[in-house]
């Protein structure tokens, strides 16, 4: 959790802004019904408000504009890095655009799932240089709990993270 301290400081700064989601979940389209939905559901169970394209983009609305609004109204971006995501960001699709916007801010946490930092650095050295979490080292429940501790706002104050 100590490596995520700079992100926590940014969360504290943005906490007073109105109408923000706790996190923006960036993921590959292929992961939307599996790993991304699983992470979304676990975070919401812990009281974290998540911008997730599967529930936040209304049919018929312009997808890129909805994503842009979601990015602007989120405290922290989390990127679910999977083999499918690595293929998508190499192809200049929507995931690549989301990633570019998130990299421009100091509010980004990569979550590796079924891949490695070496594979990530081969495709995105900038994202690969960020401190993050890895499902090879912790369960998805443990990761969701850490993310919830990172972004939880209580009565306008950021909750102190539990030290592991």
């Amino acid at each position: 959790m100590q490596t995520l301290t700079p992100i926590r400081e940014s969360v504290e700064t943005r906490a007073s802004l109105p109408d923000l989601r706790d996190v923006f979940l960036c993921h590959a389209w292929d992961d939307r019904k599996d790993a991304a939905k699983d992470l979304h559901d676990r975070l919401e169970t812990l009281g974290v408000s998540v911008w997730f394209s599967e529930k936040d983009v209304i049919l018929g609305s312009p997808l890129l504009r909805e994503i842009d609004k979601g990015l602007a109204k989120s405290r922290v971006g989390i990127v679910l890095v999977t083999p499918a995501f690595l293929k998508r960001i190499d192809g200049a699709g929507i995931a690549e655009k989301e990633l570019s916007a998130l990299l421009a801010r100091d509010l980004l946490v990569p979550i590796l799932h079924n891949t490695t930092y070496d594979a990530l650095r081969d495709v995105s050295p900038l994202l690969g240089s960020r401190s993050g979490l890895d499902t090879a080292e912790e369960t998805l429940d443990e990761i969701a709990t850490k993310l919830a501790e990172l972004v939880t706002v209580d009565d306008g104050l950021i909750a102190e993270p539990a030290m592991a």
Side-chain angles (χ1 to χ4, degrees), residues 1 3-4 35 39 78-83 86 109-121 127-128 130-147:
M1 287 301 287
T3 60
L4 300 177
L39 181 56
I78 55 176
V79 180
L80 182 63
V81 181
T82 64
L86 295 175
V109 179
I111 310 298
L112 274 64
H113 182 66
N114 295 332
T115 192
T116 65
Y117 269 100
D118 287 338
L120 174 56
R121 282 188 286 271
L127 182 58
R130 302 281 177 128
S131 296
L133 302 165
D134 189 340
T135 60
E137 297 173 6
E138 299 175 275
T139 68
L140 209 49
D141 281 329
E142 292 168 328
I143 288 171
T145 298
K146 285 184 178 185
L147 290 169

Side-chain angles (χ1 to χ4, degrees), residues 19 31 37 45 48 58 73 105 125:
D19 195 27
D31 295 322
K37 182 170 182 349
T45 297
V48 176
I58 300 167
K73 292 187 174 191
R105 299 167 33 184

Side-chain angles (χ1 to χ4, degrees), residues 43-80:
L43 287 167
E44 291 231 325
T45 297
L46 294 169
V48 176
S49 61
V50 180
W51 192 96
F52 183 50
S53 58
E54 293 305 295
K55 71 167 191 200
D56 288 300
V57 176
I58 300 167
L59 287 176
S61 63
L63 180 61
L64 287 177
R65 180 62 190 129
E66 292 300 315
I67 289 170
D68 195 40
K69 287 192 269 183
L71 286 164
K73 292 187 174 191
S74 297
R75 290 185 176 100
V76 173
I78 55 176
V79 180
L80 182 63

